[in-house]
Amino acid sequence: MATILLADDISFIKMVQKEVLEKQGYEVVGEASDGIEVIEKYKKLKPDVVIMDITMPKMDGLNAMKAILRLDSNARIIVCSALGQYQLIIDAIKAGAKDFVVKPFDPKRLALAIEKALK
Amino acid sequence: MQVEYINPFIISAIEIFEKVANIELKKSNLQIKKSTAPSNEISIIIGITGNFEGQVVYSFKQHTAQRIVSCMMPDASQERQTAYMESAISSLANMITGRATVLLAGKEKVIYITPPYVAIGMNNKDAQFLELPTISVEFTSRFGTLEINVVIKPK
């Protein structure tokens, strides 16, 4: 069973993501509410996939993603953000994101992004 | 502030409410105010940075917010809906603002938003509103009104 770490400052979003992912057979092993916390939890939990918001306190998701990729170049990170702007999507993919899912997210789209990242 | 910058927020609010809460919003009023201070007791404040700068303030009455959240979490108990109320309406504000930035940014610009700040009460001293000419849009729904106050300009 693939393990997932969720990073989003809004607890409602993490609750919905967790419900959706657990129904699809994934194990949510941790949750973080800011960019610093997700880096710490990544080091500790070594999840198979991170679902990362961009807008977060302390450190934004794009910088947190870059920091995680410096620690582990094989980290699989999917950005899930309401900021689905063309340039941000390009920047996120160039920086190493496996995919970019725009909120409000379609559960099937998120599952597909995880499947693709795990291959 | 140019009036055309308000349209992405109107389009996004209607679209996101329909998609996330299955609630139909209708624009009922548009006016200019002196500041972004809200007209209702629950407000969500989001800052805008990057190639645009400004602030967006969403506000609802308490009972309207509760009923919106009940539509977002129809299978949850009332206790759970209450526990998630601030967070759920924050997510709505985040998604509306995010969607509006997509419409404003086009292919070249980048717009960031701040994490939502929820202010409870009309005289919340921790809430920081902008004393600038503000476009205020009011929407009606079957659960009451939503006000969106927007100040935004290119940087």
Side-chain angles (χ1 to χ4, degrees):
Chain A
M1 183 189 290
T3 57
I4 313 281
L5 171 60
L6 303 176
D8 199 302
D9 60 313
I10 301 177
S11 59
F12 176 78
I13 297 284
K14 285 184 295 214
M15 182 269 289
V16 173
Q17 287 174 336
K18 190 174 179 189
E19 277 186 11
V20 162
L21 295 174
E22 287 182 346
K23 269 184 197 164
Q24 289 167 357
Y26 297 109
E27 184 187 1
V28 175
V29 289
E31 298 181 15
S33 299
D34 62 63
I36 303 289
E37 191 183 9
V38 67
I39 297 167
E40 292 308 314
K41 290 216 168 156
Y42 185 86
K43 286 185 209 166
K44 191 176 157 192
L45 301 167
K46 291 274 190 285
D48 294 315
V49 177
V50 181
I51 309 292
M52 180 87 82
D53 186 20
I54 292 178
T55 304
M56 290 193 288
K58 296 183 186 174
M59 181 190 285
D60 69 56
L62 293 181
N63 281 313
M65 178 177 74
K66 288 172 190 170
I68 290 172
L69 286 167
R70 280 194 293 273
L71 293 168
D72 175 5
S73 59
N74 294 316
R76 300 177 186 104
I77 301 170
I78 294 165
V79 175
C80 184
S81 169
L83 299 177
Q85 299 162 33
Y86 180 81
Q87 274 303 331
L88 282 177
I89 294 173
I90 299 285
D91 290 349
I93 300 297
K94 274 187 184 169
K98 296 289 183 196
D99 206 339
F100 195 117
V101 178
V102 180
K103 291 179 200 164
F105 65 89
D106 173 3
K108 286 180 189 162
R109 174 72 181 85
L110 187 62
L112 192 67
I114 296 171
E115 271 177 45
K116 199 179 82 179
L118 288 169
K119 274 182 187 167
Chain B
M1 178 181 154
Q2 292 175 24
V3 175
E4 72 225 42
Y5 296 143
I6 195 70
N7 286 335
F9 292 91
I10 295 171
I11 293 165
S12 301
I14 292 169
E15 188 183 304
I16 297 293
F17 262 76
E18 177 70 41
K19 198 165 184 178
V20 175
N22 197 23
I23 294 173
E24 186 186 2
L25 286 186
K26 285 187 177 159
K27 188 180 79 168
S28 55
N29 193 22
L30 191 147
Q31 59 179 317
I32 306 294
K33 291 186 170 183
K34 288 178 183 171
S35 85
T36 57
S39 304
N40 303 301
E41 66 261 27
I42 295 184
S43 55
I44 304 110
I45 305 163
I46 293 182
I48 292 176
T49 62
N51 291 132
F52 279 77
E53 61 185 355
Q55 186 182 64
V56 189
V57 178
Y58 300 82
S59 74
F60 315 87
K61 288 192 165 49
Q62 172 89 23
H63 66 88
T64 303
Q66 281 168 340
R67 295 179 75 182
I68 290 167
V69 174
S70 72
C71 290
M72 294 172 74
M73 318 171 59
D75 300 328
S77 65
Q78 200 171 347
E79 252 180 12
R80 196 163 157 82
Q81 287 173 2
T82 303
Y84 275 100
M85 191 182 81
E86 288 183 23
S87 176
I89 57 170
S90 294
S91 76
L92 272 179
N94 169 267
M95 287 187 276
I96 294 168
T97 315
R99 177 77 187 124
T101 68
V102 174
L103 300 174
L104 283 165
K107 283 200 166 182
E108 289 165 6
K109 295 185 174 67
V110 175
I111 305 170
Y112 296 100
I113 63 177
T114 63
Y117 176 82
V118 180
I120 308 289
M122 294 296 289
N123 298 309
N124 190 308
K125 286 177 183 156
D126 295 327
Q128 306 236 323
F129 301 109
L130 296 180
E131 298 292 327
L132 289 169
T134 299
I135 297 183
S136 177
V137 190
E138 189 184 79
F139 297 88
T140 53
S141 74
R142 65 185 193 271
F143 297 139
T145 60
L146 157 69
E147 180 191 73
I148 306 181
N149 293 341
V150 182
V151 168
I152 186 169
K153 63 173 186 180
K155 208 169 175 181

